[in-house]
Every structure is written in C-alpha cells, then in structure tokens.
Amino acid sequence: MLKNRKVAVIICVIVIALSILSGARRSLSEVIRETEDAFVYGVAGDGQSIYHDLGSRTQLANNLVTVAERYLDAEDDAVSRVRVLSAKLQRETRPEKCYDLNEELSEAVSDLNAALLNASLTETDEDYRKGILTDFTSYAYTIQHDGYNDLVRALNEGTLKKFPARLLKLLTLTGNAEYYG
C-alpha cells in the first residue's frame, strides 16, 4: 500500500509540474506574441507601424520600377532586383527578416536610381523619380524612430529577465521577442 501511495504522489507531482510549465510557456508565448504584434499593428495599435511603413516603401520601389521600365530594359538586373525584393518584403512578416529585406531593397533602389541618373528622363519622370526617392527615404527615417524595438527591449531585458519569468522561460525553452534589426 505504501509503495502505491508513493508512486501516486510522484505521478501527481510530475503532472502538476508539467501543467505549470505548460501554462507558463503558453503565457510567455502570448506576451511575446502581443509584443510582436506591435510590428504589424503599431505600438499604439493604430496601424502606424514598421510593417505599414515597409508596405509604403515597397509601393514606392514598385513606382520607381514603373518609371525605370520606360527607360531601361524590363529584364535589367537593377529593375529585376527591386521587383523581386519588393515582392519578398511584401510577403514577409517576421521583424528580423523584414529588416534584412528592407536593407537589401534600399540598396537595390539606390542602384536603380543610379541607373536612372544615366538615362535621359523626361522632366515629369525626373520629378517623379525625385519625389519617390524623397518619400522612400522619409519612410526609412520614420521606421528608425518607431517605438517597436523599445517595446521589445522592455520585454526582453525587463520582464523576461526577472524572476520568475526568467526561470520559467529557461525551463520551457521559450525565446525572446524578435527585434526589428
């Protein structure tokens, strides 16, 4: 009888421990997901987000491609690269990956712009090119000043480093919220 009671207590302790860990993982994951949602929906939940600004940058990059196709071959490497990177960035939602793709897109837009500087654009298209680049750069500055990374930092370096969250995070193998950049 004593042996069965010991086994029952051990099983009960294991089940309780697993329940606590499962609940902790679910709770930690939810807090991380809510923080990462600010990347798409904005820190204030108003849609003014890095993701929104990246969408605007991809639209502007595509507008520059439209101008470039009037003067350069549609299969030109600079044109194709902007088109491909823009499409990839539009489909991506992970902050770190979006950062990398945005950096590549910025470089590709710069290369396409350099190619257009050597083309004989009409006055209208030249004005359009300049406006596109101004807006493209403006969104880059807006992204740099977004509060998303501050929110992630507060979670990762504050809440998730304090007891008991730190211990539970280690025991449940839960990662950190993802930074943009």
Side-chain angles (χ1 to χ4, degrees), residues 67-122:
V67 172
E69 287 175 337
R70 294 184 194 128
Y71 303 93
L72 305 173
D73 180 22
E75 299 307 315
D76 181 88
D77 287 343
V79 173
S80 297
R81 186 164 175 239
V82 170
R83 191 183 303 113
V84 167
L85 288 169
S86 180
K88 283 182 179 179
L89 184 54
Q90 285 175 331
R91 290 188 304 268
E92 188 59 58
T93 58
R94 293 173 298 167
E96 285 183 21
K97 187 67 174 165
C98 283
Y99 176 84
D100 293 339
L101 287 168
N102 186 47
E103 291 295 306
E104 289 181 58
L105 181 63
S106 294
E107 182 181 314
V109 164
S110 178
D111 292 345
L112 182 56
N113 181 55
L116 287 173
L117 290 174
N118 294 326
S120 297
L121 276 63
T122 65

Side-chain angles (χ1 to χ4, degrees), residues 31-44 48-51 54 93-96 98-99 142-156 176-181:
V31 169
I32 291 168
R33 186 195 58 74
E34 287 173 1
T35 300
E36 289 178 343
D37 280 352
F39 177 75
V40 174
Y41 302 112
V43 173
Q48 298 298 316
S49 65
I50 292 175
Y51 188 75
L54 292 173
T93 58
R94 293 173 298 167
E96 285 183 21
C98 283
Y99 176 84
T142 302
I143 289 169
Q144 287 176 349
H145 294 94
D146 191 272
Y148 173 75
N149 279 340
D150 293 334
L151 192 65
V152 170
R153 189 174 300 104
L155 177 67
N156 289 347
N176 284 326
E178 198 171 301
Y179 286 97
Y180 175 77

Side-chain angles (χ1 to χ4, degrees), residues 112-141:
L112 182 56
N113 181 55
L116 287 173
L117 290 174
N118 294 326
S120 297
L121 276 63
T122 65
E123 187 177 335
T124 301
D125 281 344
E126 177 61 17
D127 290 343
Y128 196 38
R129 180 196 66 78
K130 287 178 182 176
I132 289 169
L133 289 174
T134 299
D135 291 346
F136 190 80
T137 303
S138 176
Y139 280 108
Y141 288 127

Side-chain angles (χ1 to χ4, degrees), residues 155-170:
L155 177 67
N156 289 347
E157 295 176 16
T159 305
L160 296 179
K161 283 205 172 183
K162 294 179 183 171
F163 182 81
R166 183 178 184 156
L167 177 63
L168 293 171
K169 186 177 143 232
L170 291 170

Side-chain angles (χ1 to χ4, degrees), residues 12-26:
C12 188
V13 168
I14 291 171
V15 168
I16 291 170
L18 290 175
S19 295
I20 290 170
L21 292 176
S22 174
R25 180 168 178 82
R26 196 173 321 113

